[in-house]
């Protein structure tokens, strides 16, 4: 399937020695995305590269992701999870990739 929607990408902060890249697609789900990202940062033992795909982002998600200096891709509309995952994977700087939903919570020592 061909999409006419442009994808905006931002590499984000460098995460030296990151164990793996965590790819999180999000579609106007800012409040749960904040909890998800916070749980990763708070409860991880290892360093990870967090990459977000913002579908639309008309709820403030795009602005929040930029403020956090996270790596991200962005589409004006909902391009679907497969397209979003492939776009995010291009920003990965690690050998391993992990998929998380924006409504997931990482428990202590999950990694």
């Amino acid at each position: 399937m061909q999409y006419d929607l442009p994808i905006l990408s931002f590499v984000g902060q460098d995460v030296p020695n990151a164990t793996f890249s965590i790819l999180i697609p999000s579609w106007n789900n800012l409040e749960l995305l904040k909890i998800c990202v916070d749980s990763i940062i708070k409860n991880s033992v290892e360093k990870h590269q967090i990459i977000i795909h913002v579908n639309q982002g008309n709820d403030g998600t795009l602005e929040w992701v930029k403020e956090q200096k996270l790596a991200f891709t962005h589409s004006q509309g909902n391009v679907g999870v497969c397209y979003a995952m492939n776009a995010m994977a291009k920003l990965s700087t690690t050998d391993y990739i992990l998929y998380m939903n924006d409504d997931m919570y990482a428990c202590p020592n999950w990694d």
Side-chain angles (χ1 to χ4, degrees):
M1 181 175 282
Q2 188 75 304
Y3 289 98
D4 293 331
L5 300 170
I7 299 289
L8 170 70
S9 297
F10 175 73
V11 175
Q13 293 179 334
D14 187 34
V15 184
N17 303 315
T19 304
F20 50 86
S21 300
I22 302 171
L23 309 185
I24 308 171
S26 187
W27 185 17
N28 295 328
N29 203 14
L30 179 57
E31 293 312 311
L32 289 178
L33 177 63
K34 287 179 180 180
I35 294 168
C36 177
V37 170
D38 182 58
S39 74
I40 294 167
I41 294 168
K42 181 173 66 173
N43 295 324
S44 296
V45 174
E46 303 291 331
K47 292 181 183 178
H48 307 298
Q49 176 192 28
I50 300 171
I51 307 171
I52 311 293
H53 180 80
V54 181
N55 280 308
Q56 287 181 323
N58 57 14
D59 65 342
T61 300
L62 184 59
E63 293 77 15
W64 181 80
V65 169
K66 288 178 180 178
E67 288 170 7
Q68 303 309 304
K69 296 183 172 78
L70 296 170
F72 71 88
T73 57
H74 172 247
S75 58
Q76 293 292 326
N78 182 12
V79 294
V81 70
C82 295
Y83 195 85
M85 293 297 291
N86 286 321
M88 288 184 287
K90 292 177 183 176
L91 297 182
S92 176
T93 60
T94 65
D95 292 334
Y96 303 101
I97 292 176
L98 177 110
Y99 167 79
M100 287 185 95
N101 287 314
D102 60 2
D103 61 353
M104 294 176 123
Y105 187 89
C107 293
N109 301 317
W110 69 277
D111 56 348

